[in-house]
Amino acid sequence: MDKEQLIKEAAKSIIDADKVKAEELAKSAIAAGMDPLEVINEGFSVGIAKVGDLFGRGELFLPELILSAEAMKVATDILNASLPQGAQKRGKVVMGTAQGDIHDIGKSMVVSFLQANGFEVYDVGRDVEMQKFIDKAQEVDADIIGMSALLTTTMSGQKALIEELKKAGLRDRFKVMVGGAPATQRWADRIGADAYGVDAADAAEKAMKLLGGK
Ligand code: B1M
């Protein structure tokens, strides 16, 4: 199968909620030496975005969304794991998904990209209470706290994190990065975040810039 065909099939496997096919395609992409980010962005993510659209329009229901999400998770976990671990030690990042939010596919991609770029990442998971981000950051002496949010209702957790850091006199100690589908640069500016990442590669680039690197 050529690259173009594989990318098309990757999107289709998610729309069809075909976990076995998605796994097979992710493995084939690695074996063929394809760029994992390209396969995710142009293939699997296109599929999940389509599924999300259909769900949003009421043309697909939660059980189907869950099956597609499972296929997406299997494929992205395989591709994420194929990323090399960066040898350089650039800094420490505490990363998780906002409280009330169980979406973690994108967050896990960001974690993998940060690791591939030499960051030491402490992944606190999904649906995480804001205080846990702060406690972990203090415990490991992190440089950056990253919070992902996929729901318009959980984005407020990103704002609350910054407010809590200010209240606790810790705002200058940690840089804060935000991201996730409903977040934008405008939102990041409004809540006073130090950086916004549009996708995993951008998040890694912004994290490097935050710490003065390139
Ligand atoms: Co849900 N969901 N979901 N969902 N889901 C959305 C987000 C939604 C837009 C779908 C829709 O209606 N069209 C909608 C939100 C609407 C809104 O808030 N306005 C929605 C809803 C409503 C829900 C439920 C409420 C449904 C229900 O129960 N009735 C429920 C919520 C549960 C909860 O969280 N409390 C729910 C549940 C689920 C599943 C469990 C089935 C599953 C998640 C599985 C999992 O993550 N383990 C799921 C999925 C898969 C989606 C969609 C279809 C896809 C999300 C995804 O994985 N994208 C999504 C629709 C969509 O986004 N188009 C949808 C692929 C991923 C690679 O991209 O996560 O955007 P993304 O991450 C990117 C960037 O955003 C960025 O980098 C990543 C990689 O490039 N990024 C960062 C992410 N975090 C970052 C952090 C950074 C920087 C960059 O710095 C810190």
Side-chain angles (χ1 to χ4, degrees):
M1 193 185 307
D2 66 16
K3 182 176 147 186
E4 218 170 288
Q5 179 75 14
L6 192 146
I7 282 178
K8 247 193 224 159
E9 291 280 322
K12 186 171 180 302
S13 70
I14 303 302
I15 297 165
D16 294 346
D18 189 340
K19 201 160 140 180
V20 174
K21 185 80 186 168
E23 179 174 352
E24 199 184 291
L25 289 165
K27 288 181 178 162
S28 302
I30 294 170
M34 288 170 68
D35 173 7
L37 183 65
E38 190 182 353
V39 180
I40 294 176
N41 282 353
E42 289 173 26
F44 293 111
S45 285
V46 171
I48 200 74
K50 171 85 182 157
V51 167
D53 263 13
L54 293 171
F55 175 74
R57 294 207 302 264
E59 288 174 39
L60 186 139
F61 300 99
L62 192 57
E64 295 155 300
L65 174 64
I66 291 171
L67 290 177
S68 285
E70 280 173 8
M72 179 78 184
K73 184 91 182 127
V74 166
T76 49
D77 280 353
I78 291 169
L79 290 163
N80 287 341
S82 77
L83 291 168
Q85 294 285 308
Q88 222 173 327
K89 284 288 159 246
R90 290 195 193 263
K92 296 179 190 169
V93 184
V94 168
M95 177 81 194
T97 307
Q99 186 164 25
D101 198 326
I102 63 166
H103 296 87
D104 66 351
I105 295 171
K107 182 267 299 167
S108 300
M109 275 182 70
V110 174
V111 168
S112 300
F113 264 76
L114 288 170
Q115 287 169 337
N117 282 281
F119 287 92
E120 201 173 319
V121 186
Y122 296 84
D123 185 350
V124 289
R126 58 184 182 170
D127 185 9
V128 182
E129 202 200 329
M130 178 242 300
Q131 191 59 43
K132 196 169 165 189
F133 284 83
I134 300 175
D135 291 346
K136 193 70 193 175
Q138 286 188 283
E139 180 198 321
V140 302
D141 192 21
D143 301 291
I144 302 172
I145 304 178
M147 191 186 273
S148 175
L150 263 287
L151 297 170
T152 41
T153 48
T154 56
M155 284 170 83
S156 56
Q158 297 173 333
K159 183 166 180 261
L161 169 69
I162 292 169
E163 281 164 3
E164 187 54 37
L165 286 171
K166 280 185 192 156
K167 235 195 277 168
L170 294 167
R171 184 64 189 95
D172 294 336
R173 184 151 162 210
F174 307 111
K175 301 281 185 197
V176 175
M177 178 159 63
V178 295
T184 57
Q185 183 62 56
R186 200 160 159 212
W187 165 250
D189 294 341
R190 212 174 98 197
I191 64 174
D194 300 294
Y196 158 70
V198 68
D199 60 23
D202 187 43
E205 213 170 284
K206 296 280 172 63
M208 285 187 255
K209 278 198 186 137
L210 279 180
L211 302 188
K214 280 184 216 152

